[in-house]
Every structure is written in structure tokens, then in C-alpha cells.
Amino acid sequence: MDISISQPALKWFINEMSVSDGDYIRFFVRYGGHGGAQVGFSLGVSSQDEPFEPVAKTTIDGVTFFVEKKDEWYFDGSDLHIKYSRKKEEIEFLLQ
């Protein structure tokens, strides 16, 4: 599993979540929401956790983005791509 983040999405994280060099962003499975890869679940985002048992991670401009092993099932072998939607003015998650 790989994680990729577009530059506009990175800029969103910096501006909206006030992350900077040395910070972490965790993508985790949460119950509820819509548009998820698994019915009844969606992705959550946290800047409060450091990697414990990451199954995937990438660092861009000093910010480490990661998914823990316990959430790997949600992705069903897909890679996570994060982009910014100018139309919606928010980030979007794509699994491919």
C-alpha cells in the first residue's frame, strides 16, 4: 500500500490543520460517514497520533502521513491517493 498526496492537498493540510515539519497525519477507519471504500465506514484524519505500527507512510516537506496496520483492512490492497478539490474546497480520498 502506498500513500500519495498532491501539492494542493499538502497545502490544505498545512493551512487547515496547521501542520509543519516534524508533524504526523494519521488516516484511520471510522464508523459512519459516506463515500467510503467499505459500506458503513469512512476515513478519518488525525494530527494527534504518532506512528505505532504503520503499514504505509510517506513524508512530504517534513510531514509524515500514515496508516496503521489495524486499519489496513479498509483499503483492501488499494493505494491511497489524496487530492484537493477546488470545486468542493476540501480534500478527497481516492483508493486505486
Side-chain angles (χ1 to χ4, degrees):
M1 174 182 179
D2 290 321
I3 300 172
S4 66
I5 300 157
S6 69
Q7 282 299 314
L10 176 63
K11 192 173 186 177
W12 183 92
F13 282 105
I14 292 168
N15 293 333
E16 295 297 322
M17 297 188 75
S18 301
V19 297
S20 60
D21 189 10
D23 288 340
Y24 299 96
I25 295 291
R26 177 181 171 212
F27 302 107
F28 63 94
V29 179
R30 65 187 187 107
Y31 183 72
H34 65 286
Q38 305 291 342
V39 176
F41 298 91
S42 61
L43 279 181
V45 179
S46 172
S47 61
Q48 305 299 312
D49 304 311
E50 292 186 22
F52 172 71
E53 197 174 13
V55 68
K57 69 179 181 175
T58 189
T59 302
I60 303 171
D61 290 351
V63 179
T64 301
F65 299 86
F66 70 100
V67 172
E68 289 288 346
K69 184 169 181 58
K70 66 182 179 179
D71 294 318
E72 182 178 21
W73 64 270
Y74 177 83
F75 299 93
D76 196 26
S78 298
D79 293 330
L80 173 60
H81 304 281
I82 300 121
K83 68 175 201 161
Y84 177 76
S85 169
R86 286 177 180 83
K87 183 178 180 181
K88 296 177 184 177
E89 297 183 350
E90 62 186 30
I91 55 170
E92 293 182 334
F93 304 110
L94 304 168
L95 300 180
Q96 298 177 330

